[in-house]
Amino acid sequence: MGHLKKNVLLMPSYMLIIGTLIAYLQKKTAVVTSDIIFIVAASFLFFLIPWGIKKYNKNIDEYILSLVIFLCSMSLIMLLRLKVSLFKPQMEWIGLGLVLMLLTIVFSAQLLKLLEYPYLLGLASILIIFLVVVFGTEIGGNRNWIIMGPFQVQPSEYAKLLVLGFLTAYLQENKNLLNLPNRKWGFLYLPPLRFLAPLIMIWSMALLMFVYQRDLGSALLFFGMAVMMTYVATSNKSYMFLAAVFFILSGFASYMAFGHVRVRFDIWLNPWADPMGKAYQIVQSLFALGYGGLFGAGYWHGFPDMIPAVQTDFIFSAIGEEFGLLGVLSVITAYLLIFFRAMKISFSCSDEKYKLLSFGLSATMLLQAFIILAGVTKLLPLTGITLPFISYGGSSMTASFITIGLLLAIGAKEKNRA
Amino acid sequence: MLNIVMIALQYILLFIICFFIYKIMKAVYKDLHQAAYSSDTAGKKAALIIIDSYDENIISNKINFTTSVSIGRGSENDIVLTDNYVSHHHATINAFKNQYQLEDLHSRNCTYVNDEAVNKIFLQNGDIVKIGNTSFRFER
């Protein structure tokens, strides 16, 4: 059982139980009996899942799994505090996510076979995003939701996985062609355009549709994903340079063309121009983080309700307010450790496709966390995307669990071979 | 009374969060440390293949070793090169943790790895080591 002892695996469950206790002492009406049953079930599940999976297949990376469970229990105690009505749905989503993760691990061989068909994956992702353009509904300013009966789905979360699959398969197959430096413009070495065309086509269509849907966070994520994957696959710095130029140009163009981009940019540069109006959210987030200090205001003792959309995009500010610098550092370290372990899996892969895929999956998760953390701390202009595993949201939660399932499956496979 | 319990519980919650991350970090570090310092000799196999030499008879000879090998003109070395450009004790290769380190023993005509004069260097698979008129390929 490696270096992790059972009592360490129990800690996320303890977190849940102590969180519930504080909630009960603070506000007796906050926790009802049915919630307590859910919490007890959750704390058992959070211990049993990593323990059981490890028993079932000892090659599965226990560190990634226990860190994910930690982030989930963080999410649950924050939702218990922020909006108790969302606690039960989130618990159900985590349960569904865990089931999906197990299914992904069991059927990983079949799923990874899909990497043989890059264009299928690319077209499927375009189709999914196109469906949103046609049937999408606007919730919270972003026109990126599809409502199917009782469910609201955010398809871009799943399209992300498909695009990653496409990039992996395409780049691996055409790596040598893309590295052929037979066009030289100045200090740039580029292959003929016809080899790059499919990559640029699929990727720019995805990007354009996101811009059309005003989903700038996803657009930025897709952009960063493609740049990272291309650079890692070809190790050609010319692509990085082109991407930087493209990024500056398109950023400038969208600043000129779209009103909402201009608003976001201006409140980033100077939130104090309009602290009660447009910049209210970011200003409240900064106040919350400042109020937290080193040790935080204490669970249930801050005022994170002041921030709009605190249970999704701004949940990090609530953590910062109530758990302080230490809590924030713990969360960031958790993401970094997941990335680190995933990179270790990636290095151990012998198949180049799996190597690229596991890099892409983990780097995308880290990039997503970075974009939203940079947004709420005003390091970068705010673009609304979810914080993986912590924000409230079914699509984000299940897609992140599928990502982890793929990573664990690839890792187990490589360890089994070695 | 209730207040004290609340404050205690809040600090316990924060402590558990930090302690969990600390434990995981420690476990990850131990895992990495163990992999780097594992003393199993199964993975420790290296060879020097002579690809060019003053003496045509020894070209493409393969010298296998696991822990260390010494190279020089003196007869007490593991690999004896009777070449005027080779010092008496020219260089050694030692297993160091999970790697192999080549050390030049202040030889008169230097030791070259991939055409660069070196003092101490960790060898990678496929490196070309040149001593006097003899070239070796390091494999592991």
Side-chain angles (χ1 to χ4, degrees), chain A residues 162-237:
Chain A
L162 290 173
V163 168
L164 265 179
F166 162 74
L167 284 173
T168 303
Y170 182 81
L171 286 171
Q172 198 271 331
E173 274 172 21
N174 300 302
K175 194 183 73 174
N176 295 329
L177 285 178
L178 292 177
N179 243 344
L180 224 61
N182 54 0
R183 290 280 191 285
K184 190 167 179 256
W185 292 306
F187 56 94
L188 292 175
Y189 291 88
L190 289 175
L193 191 64
R194 66 174 187 279
F195 296 136
L196 274 178
L199 187 70
I200 292 177
M201 267 291 285
I202 290 197
W203 170 69
S204 61
M205 275 173 81
L207 209 60
L208 277 179
M209 279 191 248
F210 279 127
V211 172
Y212 173 75
Q213 294 164 34
R214 298 176 153 209
D215 192 352
L216 291 178
S218 299
L220 188 57
L221 189 62
F222 270 63
F223 178 78
M225 205 160 86
V227 173
M228 284 190 304
M229 294 285 278
T230 317
Y231 179 61
V232 167
T234 60
S235 67
N236 183 346
K237 290 195 186 71

Side-chain angles (χ1 to χ4, degrees), chain A residues 65-76:
Chain A
L65 199 56
S66 39
L67 285 165
V68 165
I69 295 285
F70 163 78
L71 292 176
C72 286
S73 63
M74 197 82 193
S75 157
L76 282 179

Side-chain angles (χ1 to χ4, degrees), chain A residues 25-73:
Chain A
L25 288 177
Q26 187 69 27
K27 201 173 150 197
K28 292 231 161 42
T29 51
V31 190
V32 289
T33 328
S34 64
D35 283 340
I36 291 182
I37 297 170
F38 258 91
I39 288 162
V40 171
S43 36
F44 269 110
L45 199 67
F46 281 178
F47 172 65
L48 283 178
I49 284 277
W51 190 71
I53 285 186
K54 193 72 192 161
K55 278 266 180 297
Y56 162 75
N57 184 347
K58 67 174 169 33
N59 288 328
I60 280 179
D61 192 306
E62 50 187 342
Y63 309 107
I64 292 185
L65 199 56
S66 39
L67 285 165
V68 165
I69 295 285
F70 163 78
L71 292 176
C72 286
S73 63

